[in-house]
Amino acid sequence: MTISIQNIIPVIHATIHGHTNEGVVNHVSIDSRSLLNAEGTLFFALKGSRNNGHHYIPQLLEQGVRFFVVSEMPQDTKNATFFVVSDTLEALQKLAAYYRTLFSFPVIGITGSNGKTIIKEWLNFLLSPDYNIVRSPKSYNSQVGVPLSILGMNEMHNFGIFEAGISTVNEMDKLEEIIRPSIGILSNIGSAHDEGFENTSQKALEKWKLFKHSEVVIFKKDKTFENLLALNTQEKFTWSFEKNDNASVWVTTHESSVGTELTFYHQNSNLSVIIPFTDKASIENTIHCVMVLLYFKYPVDTIQKRVAALYPVEMRLKVKNGVNNTSLIDDSYSSDYQSLKIALDFLEHQKLHTNKTIILSDIYQSGLPVTDLYHRVSQLIIANKINRVFTIGEVISGYKHLFPNAIGFSSTNDFLNQMEHLHFQNETILVKGARDFQFEKIVTALEEKTHETVLEINLNALSNNLNYFKSKLKPQTKMMVMVKAFGYGNGGFEIAKLLEHHKVDYLGVAFADEGIELKTLGIELPIIVMNPESTAFEAMIQNKLEPEIYSIRGLQSFIKILESKEIYHYPIHIKFDTGMHRLGFEQNNMLELLAILKNTSCVKIASILSHLACSDDRNETEFTLHQIQLFENLSTQLITTLQINPIRHILNSSGISNFPEAQYNMVRLGVGLYGISSNEEEQKYLENVGTLKSIISQIRTIEAGESVGYNRRFKASSKTKIATIPIGYADGISRHWGYERGYVTINGKKAPIVGSICMDMLMVNCTNIECKEGQEVVIFGENPSIKYMAKELQTISYEIMTSISKRVKRVFYRE
């Protein structure tokens, strides 16, 4: 995109301040962390209840950004231009709506409760041989994502496909003005975001607003739904599984040896296609896509050939452990210019190693001349400081001279044949290729080999939960986040890296070795060691870790080491025991504590803290208030006597919600980050972070009277289908979860665990579930949830989370 400054001012109704009103913008950004932010960037300082883009303007000025859309002027303007508006999000949307008017090609707009991204990606695949398509990258369908998607258009595109998602009323009008679809698709109306609407009718009508200027709308015939829309004048191209439903197209389904056969009856003719799917969602998503091809009057043989090649869509960027101490970012099914920018940002945010490598295929559907495209790709890669580039494909390899340390290969097989000589080690590798190149083979070759049980960590959910608790804080309140115990079982470094990008103030670990590992891997945030052992003091000092000091003996020991090294003003954190009676100084230690601190310059008190024993229990409110008051008294005595001004903190996750008046200067977020709350109302706003998955190793049918597992603790009362899952108590699954007390989820249905859980396996009853060997199984996640498991096992969520063995592979992903 290229827009002159002069054109932007009237579009967003801005008052201009600063250095100049001349110049050209070629990149729009809302993310201060992106390495693409540079001189031609227009940065929108979005302000929400949980974050404020204005805070990042100083660092962006240092990066060379000179154009900003703001709702408040910063103190430092440093030769920059500021467009002052009342609402920066509204300004972003107005700019995108204006930019959309510069293009007149057909645009498909997709909305609905589910399936939007799948339909978009499949339509891109089906139509791309005939059009140069611009589409929403990933699932950019929000009030922010839609304008960013539209701003990806350029003069070489001749078709657009964009998705729109809403969560409440009065949102779709804004998205419609930005997308202006000529063709609409309504995927379905389900239960997602029900809380934002009074009823299903209101939600349906709100979603329909996307199509107010569309020529035609494609959707599944539904009498109730159609009655709501009877007054709308758009052409309605409908489909139905019911022959007598007066739909435009009637569809029948039949199982085939390779999937499902769909037959479409339309205008006195029929069309049959075979798809490699059997689930209801994939079938309906396919039908919507075929309806578009029918509307465009594609030849039958073309529809059949292209639809038969549809494939599962991976909508997530995944971080995996690779061979030779590498980490992999798997984006192996997508290669277009817009998604490349997103993937490079993700690489920078989640890199485990300093050295960064990209394996990249030919890039399709950029809407740019080939030479221009690869010059721009080169600029992206150089800006992101990529150390090595491997190009795969005849076209991109012809431009490998534009990339740093590039080696070109004509095909994926050519690359795989040479891979052992390419020396992948101690680096973060982004694997990004168009589907035709089958880069999944590269991921398989580079991925560390572990068993098929994985714990998937949703980084979007972590960010959401962090921002939820941030929204409860006063603007000046700092945040410390606990990443002890391997990030509560979810993975320490990857989560610490995310928190560093979110600019939390401190990280907390239990023991020194956890902090040393994070520092060794490059985490720069200050880290407090909450339970330091005196034997680790020297290593802590060497790695700049800050100890919590809770005893006279520990304080004297630490000071003695500092004196021997002639180190002064080393930050420490003084802990008071206010009723937990676990660790901490008490009132009777105060005189001796003050005497020691008065007579040393080796340490400085960075913070004073205590720990609440039962902030999650409303029945113990009086005790918690007593703890807070005692902390106030003890910390004030220390501050007054020593004439210091340290940070104070006492609140944990539940304390943040239940005792906001005690925020002091900082709070400590723990299990809340991972989506767990003791408050059921609050739980609705938190997202599940970890999903433990495995597969079905084998299915067998046993007869009545036959048994399963050790000691024959399960005996079938009738013919029973049993599935064996390769996960057991060595992976962290409690044996008490067996004996039909617990369950796993297969195809969305509960499969009770039968008999004893073994060391490496468990068995489930799947008699009434359609499933096959190799199929995915959810051990915990949304269903069953960790909270449910903890309740049934009479324990706490922490124990379930931290019990998952390190031999279970962690996969980090972003939607």
Side-chain angles (χ1 to χ4, degrees):
M1 63 166 290
T2 301
I3 307 177
S4 73
I5 295 298
Q6 288 295 334
N7 285 341
I8 292 173
I9 298 170
V11 168
I12 64 175
H13 306 300
T15 302
I16 194 164
H17 291 266
H19 185 62
T20 180
N21 60 3
E22 300 293 333
V24 172
V25 166
N26 52 35
H27 174 57
V28 168
S29 174
I30 63 167
D31 188 350
S32 63
R33 302 169 297 176
S34 175
L35 295 182
L36 302 181
N37 294 325
E39 188 174 344
T41 296
L42 176 63
F43 182 80
F44 282 80
L46 301 185
K47 184 189 292 187
S49 60
R50 303 176 181 180
N51 212 344
N52 187 344
H54 294 79
H55 296 164
Y56 306 101
I57 290 175
Q59 73 182 61
L60 288 162
L61 288 167
E62 294 298 324
Q63 290 175 238
V65 178
R66 289 294 172 261
F67 302 122
F68 297 87
V69 179
V70 299
S71 57
E72 56 192 53
M73 283 292 291
Q75 291 182 343
D76 183 4
T77 58
K78 197 177 288 185
N79 297 325
T81 302
F82 294 87
F83 303 90
V84 183
V85 297
S86 59
D87 186 322
T88 52
L89 173 57
E90 184 179 310
L92 174 64
Q93 293 169 338
K94 286 178 179 176
L95 179 63
Y98 158 74
Y99 191 69
R100 169 69 178 88
T101 65
L102 304 180
F103 302 89
S104 58
F105 50 72
V107 168
I108 294 177
I110 308 168
T111 192
S113 298
N114 305 103
K116 297 183 291 293
T117 303
I118 302 290
I119 294 171
K120 177 198 68 188
E121 293 298 321
W122 281 353
L123 281 175
N124 175 68
F125 171 77
L126 295 169
L127 297 172
S128 59
D130 311 303
Y131 298 96
N132 200 350
I133 299 173
V134 59
R135 70 192 192 278
S136 310
K138 299 297 177 183
S139 54
Y140 272 38
N141 59 31
S142 67
Q143 299 291 308
V144 174
V146 167
L148 293 177
S149 299
I150 292 295
L151 291 168
M153 287 179 166
N154 66 53
E155 62 278 3
M156 298 297 290
H157 291 124
N158 58 13
F159 202 103
I161 309 173
F162 300 98
E163 52 179 298
I166 58 173
S167 57
T168 189
V169 296
N170 302 321
E171 290 186 341
M172 190 60 87
D173 284 319
K174 298 174 184 176
L175 301 186
E176 190 279 333
E177 186 178 356
I178 299 169
I179 299 174
R180 282 295 170 116
S182 49
I183 299 165
I185 298 176
L186 180 64
S187 63
N188 60 49
I189 299 294
S191 60
H193 300 296
D194 271 355
E195 65 276 8
F197 303 92
E198 293 178 2
N199 50 49
T200 301
S201 298
Q202 186 188 55
K203 180 159 64 172
L205 287 170
E206 185 70 21
K207 289 182 181 292
W208 192 268
K209 290 179 181 179
L210 179 63
F211 313 129
K212 69 171 73 172
H213 293 103
S214 299
E215 299 163 7
V216 62
V217 185
I218 296 168
F219 62 99
K220 182 181 179 182
K221 183 87 169 182
D222 180 277
K223 291 178 181 177
T224 303
F225 186 54
E226 186 156 280
N227 289 338
L228 292 171
L229 309 174
L231 298 178
N232 294 94
T233 58
Q234 300 98 328
E235 178 187 350
K236 300 177 181 66
F237 192 41
T238 60
W239 64 272
S240 175
F241 290 125
E242 302 295 331
K243 185 174 183 179
N244 298 319
D245 210 9
N246 295 319
S248 310
V249 177
W250 170 44
V251 186
T252 62
T253 65
H254 300 283
E255 286 191 21
S256 75
S257 58
V258 294
T260 305
E261 179 181 11
L262 302 177
T263 303
F264 294 77
Y265 298 88
H266 173 53
Q267 295 181 345
N268 300 317
S269 63
N270 61 69
L271 159 70
S272 292
V273 298
I274 303 290
I275 60 172
F277 310 106
T278 58
D279 62 290
K280 180 182 177 183
S282 295
I283 289 171
E284 294 202 359
N285 291 337
T286 302
I287 293 171
H288 283 106
C289 293
V290 173
M291 291 290 288
V292 172
L293 299 182
L294 290 172
Y295 180 75
F296 284 149
K297 296 181 169 52
Y298 268 74
V300 169
D301 58 339
T302 301
I303 297 175
Q304 290 172 326
K305 182 179 179 180
R306 293 185 187 177
V307 171
L310 290 177
Y311 52 90
V313 173
E314 179 55 70
M315 294 182 287
R316 307 176 298 186
L317 284 160
K318 291 183 176 180
V319 183
K320 302 176 178 179
N321 292 329
V323 297
N324 304 325
N325 191 36
T326 60
S327 60
L328 300 178
I329 297 177
D330 181 3
D331 196 13
S332 56
Y333 293 106
S334 173
S335 182
D336 59 85
Y337 184 71
Q338 287 298 103
S339 67
L340 175 61
K341 291 194 288 186
I342 295 170
L344 286 169
D345 278 346
F346 184 76
L347 167 63
E348 180 61 25
H349 299 170
Q350 292 303 131
K351 66 182 181 185
L352 179 59
H353 306 279
T354 302
N355 289 333
K356 297 179 288 186
T357 296
I358 182 170
I359 302 171
L360 186 64
S361 79
D362 287 346
I363 294 175
Y364 297 150
Q365 298 172 328
S366 69
L368 298 167
V370 173
T371 300
D372 188 14
L373 166 65
Y374 288 111
H375 272 90
R376 293 195 187 193
V377 172
S378 171
Q379 291 170 1
L380 290 182
I381 287 174
I382 292 169
N384 278 272
K385 302 176 183 177
I386 304 299
N387 302 93
R388 294 201 295 170
V389 180
F390 296 99
T391 61
I392 299 179
E394 298 288 351
V395 179
I396 192 173
S397 294
Y399 293 88
K400 66 181 181 183
H401 61 282
L402 299 175
F403 306 114
N405 299 318
I407 301 176
F409 299 89
S410 59
S411 68
T412 301
N413 285 336
D414 186 20
F415 172 86
L416 290 169
N417 289 336
Q418 298 295 318
M419 200 178 78
E420 65 178 290
H421 305 297
L422 301 178
H423 307 296
F424 290 103
Q425 59 184 355
N426 304 319
E427 57 195 312
T428 302
I429 307 166
L430 170 61
V431 182
K432 186 163 184 60
R435 182 170 177 78
D436 294 353
F437 287 86
Q438 298 181 309
F439 270 19
E440 66 272 17
K441 294 179 181 179
I442 295 175
V443 173
T444 299
L446 287 173
E447 190 174 3
E448 184 180 61
K449 303 304 181 284
T450 55
H451 69 94
E452 293 162 304
T453 297
V454 299
L455 180 61
E456 293 186 348
I457 311 300
N458 185 336
L459 297 175
N460 296 83
L462 272 168
S463 296
N464 172 79
N465 297 340
L466 176 68
N467 287 331
Y468 170 78
F469 284 100
K470 273 187 176 180
S471 71
K472 291 179 169 290
L473 304 182
K474 300 169 187 174
Q476 67 273 20
T477 303
K478 299 178 184 294
M479 178 175 279
M480 172 179 172
V481 182
M482 306 304 300
V483 291
K484 63 182 181 179
F486 193 48
Y488 287 63
N490 293 286
F493 168 77
E494 292 83 356
I495 292 173
K497 189 71 177 175
L498 180 70
L499 295 170
E500 191 166 57
H501 280 298
H502 277 287
K503 297 184 180 298
V504 304
D505 299 283
Y506 277 91
L507 298 178
V509 297
F511 298 103
D513 56 350
E514 296 175 315
I516 291 169
E517 181 179 5
L518 292 178
K519 286 294 186 182
T520 302
L521 291 171
I523 297 299
E524 296 180 0
L525 282 175
I527 299 174
I528 300 177
V529 180
M530 308 298 282
N531 188 19
E533 297 161 313
S534 58
T535 53
F537 280 162
E538 292 212 27
M540 289 175 59
I541 294 168
Q542 183 178 348
N543 288 277
K544 298 181 180 178
L545 301 174
E546 302 178 15
E548 172 191 288
I549 300 295
Y550 51 82
S551 70
I552 297 296
R553 183 177 66 85
L555 178 59
Q556 291 173 329
S557 177
F558 193 65
I559 290 173
K560 184 177 181 180
I561 294 172
L562 293 173
E563 288 174 340
S564 70
K565 296 179 178 293
E566 297 184 351
I567 295 173
Y568 300 96
H569 308 296
Y570 196 95
I572 64 171
H573 303 264
I574 297 293
K575 184 171 188 177
F576 284 117
D577 178 10
T578 56
M580 184 77 163
H581 296 329
R582 191 171 62 177
L583 295 174
F585 293 99
E586 295 179 300
Q587 177 68 60
N588 58 16
N589 302 129
M590 186 62 79
L591 292 178
E592 188 175 4
L593 173 63
L594 288 170
I596 294 171
L597 292 172
K598 281 180 180 179
N599 289 297
T600 182
S601 58
C602 290
V603 298
K604 68 174 181 180
I605 300 175
S607 83
I608 305 172
L609 68 147
S610 188
H611 198 104
L612 296 178
C614 43
S615 60
D616 58 339
D617 189 348
R618 284 298 192 181
N619 294 321
E620 294 288 352
T621 296
E622 184 178 347
F623 182 80
T624 301
L625 292 175
H626 166 74
Q627 280 197 272
I628 293 170
Q629 185 58 54
L630 181 56
F631 176 67
E632 170 69 23
N633 297 341
L634 294 173
S635 60
T636 298
Q637 184 180 351
L638 191 67
I639 290 168
T640 302
T641 304
L642 298 177
Q643 293 295 293
I644 56 175
N645 186 30
I647 295 168
R648 290 193 283 180
H649 49 112
I650 190 171
L651 296 185
N652 52 9
S653 295
S654 52
I656 293 171
S657 300
N658 294 335
F659 299 92
E661 69 281 1
Q663 288 182 17
Y664 286 99
N665 314 101
M666 187 162 74
V667 297
R668 300 190 302 272
L669 180 61
V671 75
L673 178 70
Y674 306 97
I676 306 294
S677 173
S678 58
N679 184 307
E680 289 305 317
E681 189 60 33
E682 181 171 79
Q683 188 68 53
K684 297 175 184 177
Y685 296 97
L686 301 179
E687 295 182 10
N688 177 63
V689 169
T691 301
L692 183 60
K693 294 181 177 180
S694 192
I695 63 162
I696 297 175
S697 296
Q698 189 175 35
I699 296 175
R700 60 167 44 80
T701 300
I702 63 174
E703 301 295 330
E706 291 190 289
S707 61
V708 174
Y710 287 117
N711 302 111
R712 305 189 69 200
R713 289 196 172 96
F714 173 80
K715 294 181 181 178
S717 58
S718 59
K719 184 181 256 188
T720 305
K721 187 167 67 171
I722 298 293
T724 300
I725 318 297
I727 183 172
Y729 59 76
D731 300 293
I733 307 302
S734 170
R735 291 183 76 247
H736 298 293
W737 192 233
Y739 319 120
E740 298 181 272
R741 183 178 191 175
Y743 67 90
V744 301
T745 303
I746 303 173
N747 262 348
K749 297 183 178 179
K750 294 181 179 181
I753 300 171
V754 296
S756 300
I757 291 177
C758 310
M759 181 180 289
D760 309 298
M761 288 172 279
L762 58 82
M763 288 71 73
V764 301
N765 183 343
C766 59
T767 304
N768 299 314
I769 302 174
E770 186 177 321
C771 55
K772 56 187 178 182
E773 293 177 357
Q775 190 161 345
E776 180 180 275
V777 176
V778 175
I779 311 301
F780 65 63
E782 296 287 352
N783 183 26
S785 68
I786 290 173
K787 283 188 68 174
Y788 174 82
M789 290 178 69
K791 181 180 179 181
E792 291 297 308
L793 291 171
Q794 297 182 325
T795 183
I796 56 175
S797 299
Y798 298 78
E799 183 175 359
I800 305 293
M801 296 165 66
T802 58
S803 293
I804 303 305
S805 166
K806 283 194 175 183
R807 80 174 186 175
V808 173
K809 178 172 64 176
R810 270 70 174 174
V811 173
F812 298 84
Y813 69 91
R814 187 179 295 280
E815 298 285 1

